[in-house]
Amino acid sequence: MSDALTRSAGAGTTSSPKPNAVVAVLALAGVVVSLMQTLVIPIVPELPTLLHASASNTAWAVTATLLAAAVATPVVGRLGDMIGKRRMLLVSIVLLVSGSVVCALADSLVSMIVGRTLQGLAAAVVPLGISIMRDALPADRLAGSTALMSASLGVGGALGLPAAAFIADKWDWHILFWTSAALGAVALVLVLLIVPESKVRTGGRFDLVGSLGLSAGLVSLLLTVSKGGDWGWISATTLGLGAAAVVILAGWGFYELKTKHPLVDLRTTAKPQVFFTNLASVALGFSMFAMSLVVPQLLQLPTRTGYGLGKSMLTVGLVLAPQGLVMMVMSAASAAVTKAKGPKVTLMIGALIVATGYSLNIVLMSQVWHLILVSCVIGAGVGFTYGALPALIMGAVDPSQTGAANSLNTLMRSLGTSFAGALAGVILARMTTDFGGHALPSENGFKVVMAIGAGAALLAFLVATFIPRRQTPASAAPAADEQTEAVAAQA
């Protein structure tokens, strides 16, 4: 009898909260955390004035969150597997609330960066939530619940933008962060009251050297990608950080293969189902960023450009909001397809839908309803893919590795998004048109970015064809109550 199975049995003997309540609370926590992605977007242009700093320096209010999230996600996922997923979920939400309060009280750039860094450290909430669902829910509820939890990343971002724009337009900008602190506090209380702790744990010793190595490598890589355009792609700083990222990550990989208790089990990630799912996640993360970059700019550019629609940030939020609702609805459809055909088919369908949405946007970009339609089509594809990815990961890894595996997959999507931002920034900076003496991204530049987004989605589809056909997690990994019955039968 395995140690993990014994601990699962122990979980089954405790009080069993209602699955609907657990799913609702975890999804709410995911939405609250995903709000951090769009929270500052409405005030980014005003940050230099609000914080009395240059635009290049205030950009760190966004970059700090990105770096913190990249570092925290794999580390917190591994700690969740070791010492308790619910425990690390609570720690993450506390960090979110603390960061929100710091930002709400901020009157300088330093305090804002500190607060945004703390908010970024909460990024592992969604993969932790998915992992808790695997341990706590009945098998027949797993596919739909994890699809909804995974989709909360997009739902929160889409619904948060119009709310943030409205608050920033009507009240003092600090209210944005007081609101996020309040929502985080609500999520914290609900998790304490409703979400059970999983007894499925790996034990072992935390890989401090591996966590420091991965953090240093990721920070070097993401700084190269996100700041290279500002520093110059062939500047000594950019090239030095890029070289450091390659050397550090290569050394980290060699160390992880040798150590007894690695932060990331690279042998598990080399399994075809995990490897190709993570590779597809990078391509999907790359693809999904194009819309969030292009659509807001098309809506806000002056109408005199001939292709801009001259709308406000609030309108941008309202145009993108239906996308979040579509993601939520399609997460249920994603679960149904996964149960019937398997998560591989679901992922492939979602990738094709995303590619279709970007292709439509190349020819439909002159009216507000065009962009609403396109964002909803892409949102439908995202709902499918976000539901399939955790199902594929959990169908290939041991329950005791779920937190780390899901966190790594989330990181892969984030890396794809970062690469997309860098490439799209280069394209839009090069393909410009003169407007009153100012260089603005040209219409063809936007179309090229959309074409690349469609191509990345098709690449994800191609990669997904290499994923082996495996059982869905509902059948591959029994829920805690089924594991308890198995233990009792053996006894």
Side-chain angles (χ1 to χ4, degrees):
M1 184 187 307
S2 71
D3 185 51
L5 190 61
T6 303
R7 286 174 173 150
S8 295
T13 62
T14 62
S15 60
S16 300
K18 295 181 179 179
N20 287 343
V22 173
V23 172
V25 170
L26 291 174
L28 172 64
V31 169
V32 170
V33 169
S34 66
L35 290 174
M36 299 307 104
Q37 300 175 359
T38 55
L39 190 66
V40 299
I41 289 178
I43 62 172
V44 164
E46 285 78 38
L47 281 179
T49 301
L50 296 173
L51 300 177
H52 312 291
S54 66
S56 60
N57 286 334
T58 56
W60 284 99
V62 177
T63 305
T65 308
L66 169 69
L67 297 178
V71 169
T73 301
V75 172
V76 173
R78 172 62 177 154
L79 286 172
D81 286 336
M82 290 178 62
I83 65 175
K85 302 177 184 73
R86 176 179 178 269
R87 180 176 299 171
M88 294 311 302
L89 179 67
L90 291 169
V91 169
S92 297
I93 298 176
V94 168
L95 289 171
L96 171 68
V97 174
S98 301
S100 299
V101 171
V102 171
C103 290
L105 297 172
D107 57 2
S108 68
L109 178 60
V110 172
S111 54
M112 174 63 79
I113 291 175
V114 170
R116 290 290 291 166
T117 299
L118 289 171
Q119 289 181 325
L121 293 175
V125 162
V126 170
L128 284 173
I130 292 171
S131 302
I132 291 172
M133 287 178 177
R134 183 183 193 182
D135 298 339
L137 298 182
D140 60 347
R141 293 293 310 274
L142 189 58
S145 300
T146 55
L148 178 62
M149 184 71 193
S150 189
S152 69
L153 276 171
V155 173
L159 299 181
L161 185 56
F166 179 78
I167 292 173
D169 184 56
K170 298 296 183 181
W171 294 290
D172 180 80
W173 64 275
H174 293 91
I175 299 297
L176 286 171
F177 297 100
W178 284 121
T179 302
S180 67
L183 291 173
V186 171
L188 180 66
V189 172
L190 291 176
V191 169
L192 282 168
L193 294 176
I194 295 174
V195 176
E197 179 61 274
S198 167
K199 297 297 189 291
V200 181
R201 300 181 187 179
T202 60
R205 188 175 66 252
F206 180 68
D207 181 13
L208 179 60
V209 174
S211 66
L212 293 175
L214 180 59
S215 299
L218 288 175
V219 168
S220 299
L221 176 62
L222 290 173
L223 282 176
T224 301
V225 172
S226 62
K227 304 297 287 186
D230 296 332
W231 294 336
W233 291 107
I234 58 173
S235 69
T237 302
T238 302
L239 294 177
L241 281 171
V246 172
V247 172
I248 293 172
L249 290 175
W252 171 81
F254 179 79
Y255 175 83
E256 291 296 283
L257 289 172
K258 297 295 183 181
T259 188
K260 185 177 181 181
H261 300 287
L263 177 72
V264 177
D265 188 344
L266 294 180
R267 292 180 177 83
T268 297
T269 61
K271 291 180 178 180
Q273 182 159 331
V274 178
F275 176 77
F276 287 112
T277 299
N278 283 333
L279 199 59
S281 297
V282 175
L284 286 169
F286 190 102
S287 175
M288 293 167 189
F289 184 78
M291 184 197 63
S292 62
L293 178 69
V294 171
V295 171
Q297 291 196 59
L298 285 174
L299 284 166
Q300 291 183 280
L301 283 173
T303 56
R304 288 177 294 166
T305 60
Y307 50 90
L309 299 179
K311 303 300 181 181
S312 66
M313 177 58 73
L314 179 58
T315 301
V316 172
L318 293 174
V319 167
L320 294 177
Q323 179 194 38
L325 300 177
V326 170
M327 286 184 195
M328 189 177 298
V329 172
M330 296 311 295
S331 66
S334 168
V337 174
T338 293
K339 288 180 179 179
K341 300 294 184 180
K344 173 181 176 177
V345 173
T346 307
L347 176 60
M348 294 171 69
I349 292 173
L352 288 179
I353 295 174
V354 172
T356 300
Y358 281 118
S359 300
L360 283 174
N361 200 189
I362 295 174
V363 296
L364 296 177
M365 56 190 299
S366 60
Q367 302 289 333
V368 171
W369 73 267
H370 289 172
L371 300 181
I372 294 175
L373 172 64
V374 166
S375 66
C376 286
V377 172
I378 295 174
V382 172
F384 265 84
T385 60
Y386 271 18
L389 293 173
L392 285 164
I393 294 295
M394 291 189 295
V397 303
D398 187 87
S400 63
Q401 297 178 318
T402 304
N406 278 323
S407 295
L408 182 63
N409 181 254
T410 300
L411 176 62
M412 292 299 104
R413 278 182 271 174
S414 298
L415 290 177
T417 297
S418 300
F419 294 142
L423 179 60
V426 171
I427 292 172
L428 295 180
R430 295 294 181 88
M431 302 183 69
T432 61
T433 184
D434 182 75
F435 183 76
H438 299 281
L440 295 178
S442 67
E443 183 178 11
N444 285 335
F446 289 123
K447 290 182 177 181
V448 168
V449 172
M450 285 295 179
I452 292 174
L458 291 175
L459 177 60
F461 172 85
L462 177 62
V463 171
T465 63
F466 292 95
I467 298 173
R469 287 188 176 275
R470 295 287 298 269
Q471 291 179 311
T472 62
S475 58
D481 56 346
E482 293 175 314
Q483 293 174 344
T484 303
E485 293 173 4
V487 172
Q490 292 177 7

